[in-house]
């Protein structure tokens, strides 16, 4: 087996292996610590030299967007108020139209009822007037017949008397 002497101490195979492992672990730990420290100092330098970017342009844009949003909200509010007003007016007009239509329906029904009553009354009056006219025509016809008979009798009588009259045969010379 291999043996190493170092500072008055003798190390044999297994111990050498443990020592090498410890030394490599220690060296790796030191190397990681130094790398971490180097990253830390680099980051510290970057942080110390860091200057914040100029975000004023973004701030202006955000403010402009906020203003536009406020304007849009106020315009939407105005539009909603107008829509509500129009809806209220439309409801009112609809209700007025309904009441007007109902009133007109009532008037039309009344007129139809009156027309039917008047039509019945006029038909009755026409029948009565027609009957009266027929009765008067019959009466007039009867009177005319009677008068014509009388006139015919009178004319026949006068013609008869004129024919029987002896002077009627004379001629003028």
């Amino acid at each position: 087996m291999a043996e190493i002497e170092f500072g008055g101490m003798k190390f044999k195979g297994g111990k050498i292996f443990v020592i090498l492992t410890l030394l490599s672990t220690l060296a790796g730990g030191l190397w990681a610590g130094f790398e971490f420290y180097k990253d830390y100092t680099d980051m510290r330098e970057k942080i110390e030299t860091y200057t914040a970017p100029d975000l004023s342009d973004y701030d202006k844009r955000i403010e402009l967007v906020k203003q536009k949003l406020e304007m849009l909200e106020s315009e939407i509010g105005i539009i909603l108020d107008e829509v509500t007003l129009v809806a209220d007016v439309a409801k009112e007009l609809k209700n007025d139209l309904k009441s007007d239509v109902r009133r007109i329906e009532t008037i039309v029904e009344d007129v139809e009822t009156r027309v039917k009553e008047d039509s019945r009354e006029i038909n009755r009056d026409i029948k009565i007037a027609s009957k009266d006219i027929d009765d008067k025509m019959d009466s007039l016809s009867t009177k005319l017949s009677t008068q014509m008979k009388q006139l015919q009798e009178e004319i026949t009588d006068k013609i008869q008397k004129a024919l029987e009259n002896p002077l009627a045969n004379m001629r003028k010379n």
Side-chain angles (χ1 to χ4, degrees):
M1 290 212 128
E3 225 178 82
I4 296 181
E5 191 175 325
F6 184 72
M9 293 175 86
K10 288 187 180 182
F11 297 103
K12 291 190 180 181
K15 287 183 183 180
I16 293 175
F17 181 71
V18 170
I19 290 174
L20 283 175
T21 307
L22 282 175
L23 285 175
S24 67
T25 303
L26 183 63
L30 285 174
W31 179 76
F34 287 128
E35 283 295 317
F36 179 75
Y37 181 74
K38 182 182 171 216
D39 286 346
Y40 171 76
T41 55
D42 289 346
M43 188 181 349
R44 184 174 180 181
E45 182 183 327
K46 285 183 182 181
I47 288 173
E48 286 175 357
T49 61
Y50 174 77
T51 54
D54 184 18
L55 299 177
S56 62
D57 189 42
Y58 290 110
D59 291 338
K60 288 176 185 176
R61 287 183 185 177
I62 289 172
E63 187 61 33
L64 184 62
V65 168
K66 282 182 182 178
Q67 288 175 356
K68 286 182 179 181
L69 182 62
E70 288 173 1
M71 285 176 24
L72 285 174
E73 286 176 348
S74 68
E75 287 179 11
I76 287 172
I78 291 170
I79 290 171
L80 287 176
D81 290 343
E82 289 177 0
V83 166
T84 303
L85 179 64
V86 167
D88 291 343
V89 168
K91 278 184 182 179
E92 191 175 314
L93 285 173
K94 182 182 88 172
N95 291 336
D96 288 349
L97 277 173
K98 278 184 179 179
S99 65
D100 288 348
V101 166
R102 287 184 184 134
R103 191 170 350 108
I104 290 172
E105 284 176 347
T106 304
I107 290 170
V108 167
E109 287 173 1
D110 289 346
V111 167
E112 285 177 348
T113 304
R114 286 182 192 166
V115 165
K116 286 178 183 178
E117 288 174 5
D118 289 348
S119 176
R120 287 184 197 129
E121 190 175 318
I122 288 171
N123 285 338
R124 233 177 305 145
D125 289 346
I126 288 174
K127 284 180 183 178
I128 291 171
S130 177
K131 186 177 178 192
D132 285 348
I133 290 172
D134 286 344
D135 290 346
K136 287 181 181 180
M137 291 289 284
D138 287 344
S139 170
L140 186 58
S141 177
T142 306
K143 278 185 182 179
L144 279 174
S145 293
T146 306
Q147 287 178 354
M148 283 181 57
K149 281 183 186 178
Q150 284 177 352
L151 186 57
Q152 191 175 9
E153 286 175 6
E154 285 179 15
I155 291 176
T156 306
D157 250 358
K158 285 184 182 179
I159 291 175
Q160 190 63 34
K161 282 185 187 178
L163 287 176
E164 290 176 1
N165 187 356
L167 295 175
N169 285 333
M170 285 199 336
R171 289 190 187 159
K172 284 188 179 179
N173 296 11

